[in-house]
Every structure is written in C-alpha cells, then in structure tokens.
Amino acid sequence: LVDVLRSVSDWASRSGYLVTWADRGLLDLAYKEVWTRRDSGELDPEFYGRWLEPVTAYRPALGPAASSILIIAVPRPAHIVRFETRSGLIETIVPPVFIQDKSVPKRILDELTGLVGDGARLEPMGGKQGLHKSVAARAGLVRYGRTNITFTSGFGSYLQIVPFVTDVEIPHDARAPKAPQALDECTDCRLCEHACPTGAIGADRFLLRAHRCLVYFNEDIYEWPDWLPATSHHCLVGCMKCQEACPANAGKLRLETVPEVFTFQETTAILNDFSRSDDLQSSARHGPVWDSIRDKLTSIKLPWLEYMIGRNMRALEKARGCQWS
Ligand code: B12
Ligand code: SF4
Ligand code: SF4
C-alpha cells in the first residue's frame, strides 16, 4: 500500500501535477449538499436538470468494492485559435480545460495503469460524472474562489480536475473529509464579481448563479437570452473574465497557439452559418468547406463546437466592432 501511494505521488511530482487520495464517501457528501441546495431553491431548476441531474446520477461501476478516490490537479493552458478575415489574421481565446478535456484523463489513465499495482482498478470520473470541485475541495486538494472555480497555490485556477474512483485501500487518517475552504484572498476582495459581465457572481451569496454564466450559453446550443449584454462575448467559447480579474491568478496563465488556422473561405462559411445551433443535421453545414472546418475542429479536439461556432463568432465580431467577412 505504502508503495502504491509513494509511486503515485512520485509520478505526480515528476509530471508537475498535484495529487491526493480521499474516501469514496466524499462523493455522497457532495451529492447530499447539492440536493439540499436544490430543495431549498438555490439552484435554478433548468440548470439543475441540464447539468446537475446527470452528474449526481453517476454511481461508480466499481460499486461498493471501490474504496477511494484519486484526484489529480493538472495545470492547463488557454489556447489561441486563429481565423483569416478581411481585417487580417485574428486571434480568439479558448480558456483552459476546453481543448483536450477528454484526452488528458485518458493519457493520465494510461500513465497510472501499472503504477497502482497488480489488480488495482481505476475508473475515470468523466466531465458529466460526479462533482469534481466539491470532492477535490473536501479532500483538501483545492480551495474555492468567489468565482466558484477552484484554485491551488501553484496553478491558480488554471487547472483541470481529473478524478478516478479506485479500489485502492487508503490509510484511515487520509479518510476524514475536510470542510471546503475559500481562498484567503477572497476575504476583502470583490474583483471577480465586478469583472463578471453577466452578474453571475452575486454580492449576496457565494454560490454562483450558474444559469446567468456566459459559459452556460456559449458552450451549448441555446439561443442568446435577451438580457445577455452583446459586449460580454470575448472568447471563441467559454469565458475568462472572472479568472483574469483574480489576484490569485496573477502571472499564472499560459497561452498556446493551435497550429490550425481557419482560412478566409472557412471563416466566411462559419459567419454565414445561420442554421439554428440545435439543428445538428443542418444542410447549411455540408460541402467541402464545412468538411475542412470539421476536420480542423476535430483536430483541435473541439468537434462539438461545429454547432455553435457561427453563433459565437458573430457575437465576437459584433462585440469587437469588426467586420470579418
Ligand atoms: C456544471 C459545470 C459548469 C456550469 C456551472 C458551473 C458552476 N459553478 O456550477 C457552467 C456551464 C456554467 C460551467 C462553466 C465553467 N466551468 Co465548468 N463544470 C461544471 C461541472 C460539470 C459541475 C460543476 C458543479 O459541480 N456545479 C454545482 C455547484 C452546486 O457546485 P460548485 O460549483 O462546486 O459550488 C459549490 C460552492 O459554491 C460551495 N459553496 C457554497 N457556499 C460556499 C461558501 C464557502 C465559504 C465555500 C468555501 C464554498 C461554498 O457549495 C457548492 C456545492 O454545493 C464540472 C465537472 C464536474 N463533473 O464536476 C465542470 C468544472 C467545474 N468546470 C470547469 C471549468 C474550467 C469551467 C469554466 C472556468 C470554463 C471557462 N473558462 O469558460 C467556467 C467557470 C464558470 C464559473 N464561474 O464557475 C472545471 C473547473 C476547474 C477548476 N479550476 O475548478 C471543472 C471542474 C471541470 C474539470 N474537471 O476540470 N461549468
Ligand atoms: S477575484 Fe478576489 S474574490 Fe474573486 S476569487 Fe479571486 S480573490 Fe476571491
Ligand atoms: S465565467 Fe464569465 S460569466 Fe461566468 S461567472 Fe466567470 S466572469 Fe461571470
């Protein structure tokens, strides 16, 4: 047992990750807290149905045999995605975690298999499985900011949480859940609240109004709600405003440019795609130009963005006051 824990911890420090083990029961504690918030009306019912119903329905396939959760914090960069436009080459930002969000856990699973010892089992908790921040905070790996995003001292909030349910027995003293902690920096700070373009971070409560968050709309197939300010758009997908404003993130953002560039013809096709985002089979997105757009989106690991990229790019063009096609 000591060997398993030590080899995982050595692997994490070699890889530049942070790691901790926690009791499997933390998942149930996290679910119970969310259900209490649902029952007290703190969570918007539509947001709950769309996001939290599926994540709290997750039950590990390892079942009662599972004894622990292994949680890894992986530092992640933001990405720059470029488009040729009639105003020249323009850059758009995709915040940390979106790109490669599924390949990072796969790679880590490959690396861990073998380290955890003969016969030990590891079950990745996917993006729609379990409450990653809540479990990681109760295990003491991360702290919450008022952004409701979690931080470690080395990475700020630019990290992906990668949890696994395992059947590795952990020592008794590693099992006790900790109360989720806020950053010390939050005590006298309101910078994220002021930076949020949609009022999702409220003065009156810590819990995010997730149904007001720009990301709730721009990573999904919703039409923009009437109240959403046209000036709020600034990323190809996602949002950077509260994380950028946070002093605990100062100097911590890494930027990587993806090699694929969307040609002028592709940018024009994207901007002219007025088919509804929820029309997944739209005939407007067929033909060789869209095949090439699709190939590039697949290659940068954002294939699902096909349905929202036109809507998001038009919103970005308007917010920047430009004309791109
Ligand atoms: C649903 C979801 C969303 C929704 C809702 C976000 C939300 N805050 O609930 C939307 C689509 C809006 C979204 C957006 C983003 N997401 Co998201 N999302 C998730 C998902 C699937 C579940 C999040 C969740 O549990 N929400 C439920 C609420 C109730 O729980 P909570 O946020 O932990 O809130 C707790 C605190 O408020 C706490 N609390 C309440 N009062 C108080 C008081 C104190 C003092 C303290 C300490 C705590 C506390 O209680 C709540 C739990 O009951 C996770 C993946 C997963 N499976 O876990 C990723 C995840 C949270 N998302 C992630 C990311 C990166 C983002 C974005 C930053 C992406 C971007 N840049 O555009 C934004 C950030 C928006 C924001 N300000 O939170 C990462 C966060 C990594 C990190 N560093 O923490 C996650 C963990 C994915 C991953 N595995 O890495 N996301
Ligand atoms: S901006 Fe300020 S209040 Fe918001 S998370 Fe960062 S330190 Fe906390
Ligand atoms: S991600 Fe953007 S919209 Fe969402 S809470 Fe942060 S600043 Fe507000």
Side-chain angles (χ1 to χ4, degrees), residues 146-149 192-201 208-210 212-216 228 232 234 238-245:
R146 279 175 45 79
T147 54
N148 278 234
I149 309 171
C192 54
E193 180 190 318
H194 299 317
C196 175
T198 62
I201 302 173
L208 188 79
R209 286 189 170 77
R212 300 275 309 183
C213 177
L214 176 60
V215 189
Y216 180 54
L228 193 78
S232 60
H234 59 287
C239 175
M240 285 297 292
K241 292 291 181 192
C242 56
Q243 296 192 92
E244 272 179 338

Side-chain angles (χ1 to χ4, degrees), residues 77-80 93-94 253-257:
H79 290 87
I80 296 175
I93 298 287
V94 178
L253 184 66
R254 287 183 299 124
L255 278 171
E256 286 178 11
T257 302

Side-chain angles (χ1 to χ4, degrees), residues 33 37 127 130-133 144 147-148 150 157 161 215 238-239:
E33 187 183 317
R37 293 189 190 285
L131 298 161
H132 299 183
K133 288 182 292 183
Y144 279 93
T147 54
N148 278 234
T150 60
S157 62
I161 300 173
V215 189
C239 175

Side-chain angles (χ1 to χ4, degrees), residues 30 33-34 37 43 47 51-52 55 95-98 126-134 138 144 147-151 157-163 180-182 201 206-208 210 213 215-216 219 237-240 242-243:
E33 187 183 317
V34 162
R37 293 189 190 285
L43 294 161
F47 162 68
W51 272 109
L52 303 187
V55 298
V97 179
F98 283 98
K128 290 203 173 166
Q129 295 176 316
L131 298 161
H132 299 183
K133 288 182 292 183
S134 196
R138 278 159 215 278
Y144 279 93
T147 54
N148 278 234
I149 309 171
T150 60
F151 292 69
S157 62
Y158 301 129
L159 59 92
Q160 180 165 355
I161 300 173
V162 183
Q181 298 285 314
I201 302 173
F206 195 97
L207 182 70
L208 188 79
C213 177
V215 189
Y216 180 54
E219 72 168 10
V237 63
C239 175
M240 285 297 292
C242 56
Q243 296 192 92

